[in-house]
Each structure stands twice: as C-alpha cells, then as structure tokens.
Amino acid sequence: MSNSTPYPIGTPGQKWTDAEKAQWLAQVAIKRSYQDEVVSKLAQITGPFEQVQYGALSYDADKYPLFAFKSQQWDNNKKTILVTGGVHGYETSGVHGAIQFLATKAQDYTQYFNVAIAPCVSPWGYETINRWNPKAIDPNRSFYANSPAEESAALMAFVASLGDVYAHFDLH
C-alpha cells in the first residue's frame, strides 16, 4: 500500500485555475541553456540540409527561435521522413539524439527520402526540464487545429509545408 501526498498546488481531480497556473509558473526556474546546448550545436550543422526557422515562441522570441532542417535537394517525387525531438523538455536524449542524427547519419537517407528534422520542439521546456510550456499546456497533447500550444501549432504549420509525411520518428 502506498502513501500518496497530493501535489502542493491545486485540488486533486480539479482543473487548475489561472491563479494556480501562475503559482506553478512562479516556482519554475531555468536549469540549462537552449542557446548554449542546442542552438549553438545547430549552427555547426553542415551538409545537405537547409536550416529553417519555422517560428519563435512569444515567451521570448529572441531566446526561443524554433528551428528545423530539411533536405536542400527537396524532391517532390521522394517520400518525406520527419524526425522530431524535445516535445517534452525533460526528454534530453531526444533533442541531442536528433542533433547527432542530423550531424552524422541523416545525409545517408537523402538519396532515398526528403528528410526534415525538428530537434527541439519545446525549447522553454528544455530549459526548465519540464513537460509543459509556461502556460501549463502539454505540447505533446496539443497537436490539433487551433492548438493553444505555440510549440505544437508552429510545428504543425511547418509539417504542413512539407506535404505528405511518409514516416515520423519522434525521439520521445
């Protein structure tokens, strides 16, 4: 039998109010740097890929640009493969796995497929090592039309620009 202690914010079984979301956000702290650990590595990527800034988070647009890479020689006759990482900020290995794949192996697939890679879908979550964005919305549960999660909406718009996606690998 386990002894469970309720979460210190809110009432179990009830949706958080705006005041409770603000209370939660006030206790969240930056623990690592998206710019230093992700963006700086993306700047070093060379090869047959074009870097695309497909958006920026309004929380701090200069600090949280959203980047993807896509095959430079895009061919509408090839099938498209999508790789994403970092939908949840605590999924560090997904972010760094996507970057490593982009830097070392992704080019091997460009002769067969169009390749698109979005290595860090949720940069604020990455910095705070958090599942949610600052609005207490889970980007992973928000990939739908008119999404309230900026991260999800921006990625969906980018993916729509790619045409049909044959396979999606989320490094979750």
Side-chain angles (χ1 to χ4, degrees), residues 77-141:
N77 294 314
K78 291 181 183 176
K79 293 182 178 185
T80 299
I81 303 297
L82 173 66
V83 176
T84 55
V87 173
H88 292 139
Y90 55 72
E91 297 167 344
T92 308
S93 62
V95 173
H96 293 284
I99 294 169
Q100 184 176 7
F101 175 69
L102 179 60
T104 62
K105 297 291 182 188
Q107 66 216 16
D108 296 346
Y109 297 91
T110 59
Q111 64 181 322
Y112 306 108
F113 301 99
N114 295 315
V115 177
I117 301 171
C120 189
V121 174
S122 184
W124 183 88
Y126 179 86
E127 285 198 333
T128 61
I129 310 177
N130 205 298
R131 179 181 184 97
W132 298 340
N133 69 20
K135 295 179 181 176
I137 299 170
D138 182 346
N140 188 54
R141 302 284 186 254

Side-chain angles (χ1 to χ4, degrees), residues 137-148:
I137 299 170
D138 182 346
N140 188 54
R141 302 284 186 254
S142 302
F143 289 104
Y144 52 83
N146 302 312
S147 176

